[in-house]
Amino acid sequence: MSVSPERFGPGPVGAAEAPVADRTPAATAARVRVAASHEAPGVDPLRLGRAAAIVGVFAALVSMTGSWIPSLWGDEAASVLSATRPLDGLLSMLTRIDAVHGAYYLGLHEWVRLFGASPFAVRLPSALAVGVCAAAVTWLCGRLSGAGRPASIRFAVLAGAITAVLPRLTYAGEEARGYAFAAALATLLWVVVVETLRRGMPSRRGWAVYAVVLAVGVYVFLYVALLAVAVGVVLATDRDRRRHLRHWAVASGAAALAVAPLVVLGQLQRHQIAFLAHRDTARLDTVLVKMWFGAWPFAVVAWVLIGLAAALWLRGLVRRPHAAPRLDLETVALAWLVIPTGVLLLANAVIADYTPRYGTFAAPAAAILMALGVRRLDGIHFSKRMPGTLVAGIALVAVLVAAAPVYVGQRTEHAKNQSDWNDIAATVQHAAREGDAIVFDASVRPSRRPRLALDTRPAAFAGLNDVLLKTPYTESATWHATTYGIPEAAARGRFLGVTRVWLVEYENDAPDTWGVADLEALGFRVAEHIDLHRSDVYLLTR
């Protein structure tokens, strides 16, 4: 087995510099400009831009396809109910809860005002964000890997295509939450950093743009701030890049000042995620599988490719210890993947607030490393009967085959945390009569309450008497509605004249009868029971 030139593009970009005796500022600037120009010889921005646009459209289509099928679930309900309340009510709510999601809610508020709040409509922005993410990955890989050659364009497209089908991103792309935007902004941040470094000497304009993108990213997802550390590490690992450290520090500090109000509000509202402390979320499968890859078959293929890319990159560093450090994709992608994730996991050991979706903004780095692994395979000559091109092709097919069942599973009716709100709405809409009362289980935490089926699809429950409603979500101090208990509602005369009641229970491991006893005490009896995927629907009559 031997290593040959890689067909998916050249290896790490850059070239060792000749010794420079003249250390004057002018000579140093010239040397840095020359070194920067070596990092992407012959690059054709127009070709790369077209390729990135095509990949972006492909990725958006992949994410939006079938996005209307799964029922909305608790976290998405928080987004939709926040976005559909009046703007003054939303701003007031954000001072009490969910400040860290405020930028996304405000954007979704305007989107819903224009396009409505159907499952497809509220998930479409996330699909478009994944498209931007994949396009930015394509551009980044082309610019940093020497995209002047046709083969390097192909590699950039390969990296973008893997981004488009990566399970974590196909999930984020069909979810009405801000994680897809975090991934897109993280990728754009690295594009800004790379383009700034390609100029050679520090650029105030480039680092100002970096500060803006970083601040916007943090407002969308707080932990995007960890990328500032990763960028600092990349700068610190090379003598020439260190000249950017002062500008990086100033820009990062400016971004920190801009997001300080969010950080303060987030800290004051920390009680919202206190329930994560009672979950064993940082397990082997949640970190190695669920964070980016969805299922073990895909994870095995992904980690083999990532491990190969990292190992061969490290071998190159060991074999050339005195060579000038080069800004290559491995350096960027490994810093992007390892540093934020490592900090999250270390923090989880202390404050226990980790969930696999928090790693979404590092998912593009995993896709890039997988693409680098495929490119490395293509450069290895295994034997006459097993050329590297064939092995790389097999690996790419394995990626697609392993991704397919995960992708299909994400687009089934109950894919979102087993939510069956579509079933509840369809059942009640079909069987209920105008004037019937409707009662929802309120014994579970707000994000699991079946009442959210009504709040997210009110048309299906039109004409029914919501007898337990105390405060509609649009007027509530929190994101969801508040309700009375059945005895309290009865004491307020809410059941006077009611002869038929539909009761919707959230089912755990066994059928739940939370409200049956209270309704029977009012003179109702169960006339019908419909067992749904995660809920039980009862019809009770006098």
Side-chain angles (χ1 to χ4, degrees):
M1 182 177 72
S2 62
V3 178
S4 61
E6 295 161 330
R7 299 175 189 272
F8 280 103
V13 297
E17 300 168 12
V20 178
D22 190 349
R23 297 293 180 180
T24 64
T28 300
R31 178 173 58 83
V32 172
R33 284 194 295 270
V34 170
S37 68
H38 287 169
E39 291 191 350
V43 74
D44 183 352
L46 291 178
R47 283 188 64 205
L48 184 59
R50 287 195 296 267
I54 292 170
V55 171
V57 171
F58 168 73
L61 289 173
V62 168
S63 284
M64 73 174 65
T65 299
S67 62
W68 58 87
I69 297 174
S71 295
L72 295 170
W73 71 292
D75 281 14
E76 290 183 301
S79 298
V80 174
L81 271 57
S82 298
T84 53
R85 66 177 59 213
L87 181 59
D88 57 345
L90 173 57
L91 294 174
S92 177
M93 183 198 80
L94 294 175
T95 63
R96 293 182 293 271
I97 61 165
D98 271 1
V100 293
H101 301 297
Y104 174 73
Y105 290 169
L106 288 167
L108 189 62
H109 174 84
E110 293 304 312
W111 178 271
V112 167
R113 189 170 63 85
L114 295 173
F115 302 105
S118 69
F120 177 74
V122 297
R123 288 165 174 164
L124 181 57
S126 295
L128 298 177
V130 170
V132 172
C133 177
V137 165
T138 304
W139 178 268
L140 180 66
C141 290
R143 295 289 274 176
L144 202 52
S145 63
R149 298 183 183 180
S152 291
I153 288 283
R154 289 198 294 271
F155 169 72
V157 170
L158 170 69
I162 292 177
T163 302
V165 302
L166 195 76
R168 173 50 62 193
L169 293 175
T170 56
Y171 183 91
E174 61 145 8
E175 183 174 56
R177 297 296 279 174
Y179 298 107
F181 289 89
L185 288 163
T187 311
L188 291 174
L189 185 74
W190 281 109
V191 169
V192 171
V193 170
V194 168
E195 293 297 332
T196 301
L197 294 178
R198 282 168 54 85
R199 294 174 177 268
M201 293 301 290
S203 164
R204 290 184 178 179
R205 181 180 299 176
W207 287 110
V209 175
Y210 160 87
V212 171
V213 176
L214 178 61
V216 173
V218 173
Y219 269 102
V220 170
F221 180 61
L222 190 62
Y223 292 135
V224 167
L226 297 174
L227 288 179
V229 180
V231 172
V233 170
V234 169
L235 297 180
T237 55
D238 172 51
R239 181 187 61 195
D240 289 328
R241 293 197 293 269
R242 288 189 199 112
R243 69 183 67 250
H244 292 266
L245 279 173
R246 183 172 65 86
H247 292 76
W248 162 81
V250 171
S252 298
L257 287 175
V259 302
L262 176 69
V263 174
V264 172
L265 279 174
Q267 184 62 32
L268 293 175
Q269 298 173 5
R270 244 192 101 67
H271 63 278
Q272 281 188 262
I273 58 172
F275 69 92
L276 291 176
H278 305 291
R279 295 182 176 183
D280 184 17
T281 53
R283 303 186 308 272
L284 189 66
D285 65 317
T286 57
V287 175
L288 296 182
V289 181
K290 292 182 180 179
M291 181 136 48
W292 301 305
F293 307 131
W296 274 108
F298 190 96
V300 169
V301 175
W303 283 118
V304 167
L305 292 173
I306 292 171
L308 177 66
L312 293 182
W313 172 76
L314 185 60
R315 186 186 69 171
L317 294 181
V318 172
R319 286 186 172 183
R320 299 186 301 274
H322 301 297
R326 302 168 180 177
L327 180 61
D328 51 36
L329 276 172
E330 288 88 347
T331 300
V332 169
L334 286 170
W336 183 358
L337 187 79
V338 174
I339 293 173
T341 305
V343 173
L344 280 175
L345 293 176
L346 288 174
N348 181 72
V350 179
I351 57 178
D353 67 346
Y354 165 83
T355 185
R357 287 184 298 163
Y358 287 180
T360 304
F361 72 106
I368 292 171
L369 288 167
M370 290 174 64
L372 287 166
V374 173
R375 188 175 73 173
R376 290 287 191 176
L377 286 174
D378 188 59
I380 299 175
H381 183 69
F382 292 88
S383 68
K384 291 184 178 179
R385 295 185 176 182
M386 187 66 68
T389 303
L390 177 60
V391 177
I394 293 172
L396 187 55
V397 170
V399 170
L400 297 176
V401 170
V406 181
Y407 177 82
V408 172
Q410 291 171 348
R411 282 149 179 80
T412 57
E413 180 65 32
H414 308 119
K416 298 290 187 181
N417 204 34
Q418 302 301 309
S419 173
D420 60 356
W421 298 348
N422 287 347
D423 297 343
I424 295 172
T427 298
V428 172
Q429 187 174 34
H430 174 74
R433 303 173 186 170
E434 187 170 357
D436 286 355
I438 184 83
V439 170
F440 296 98
D441 188 349
S443 66
V444 293
R445 68 171 181 258
S447 62
R448 291 184 175 180
R449 291 176 185 172
R451 160 174 292 280
L452 297 173
L454 180 153
D455 289 332
T456 55
R457 290 189 59 183
F461 299 85
L464 300 184
N465 185 7
D466 190 0
V467 291
L468 299 192
L469 180 63
K470 180 178 181 181
T471 308
Y473 74 85
T474 54
E475 302 171 11
S476 174
T478 186
W479 64 268
H480 55 84
T482 59
T483 59
Y484 296 111
I486 292 174
E488 186 178 2
R492 292 174 175 269
R494 295 289 187 92
F495 287 92
L496 293 177
V498 173
T499 59
R500 287 163 48 98
V501 179
W502 292 94
L503 170 65
V504 185
E505 300 274 11
Y506 178 85
E507 181 180 320
N508 288 298
D509 296 329
D512 189 359
T513 57
W514 165 81
V516 172
D518 286 336
L519 289 171
E520 288 180 338
L522 298 178
F524 293 95
R525 295 293 180 268
V526 175
E528 186 177 358
H529 172 216
I530 303 170
D531 186 15
L532 302 179
H533 181 76
R534 197 63 183 267
S535 306
D536 290 289
V537 178
Y538 297 89
L539 170 62
L540 294 95
T541 59
R542 291 279 188 185

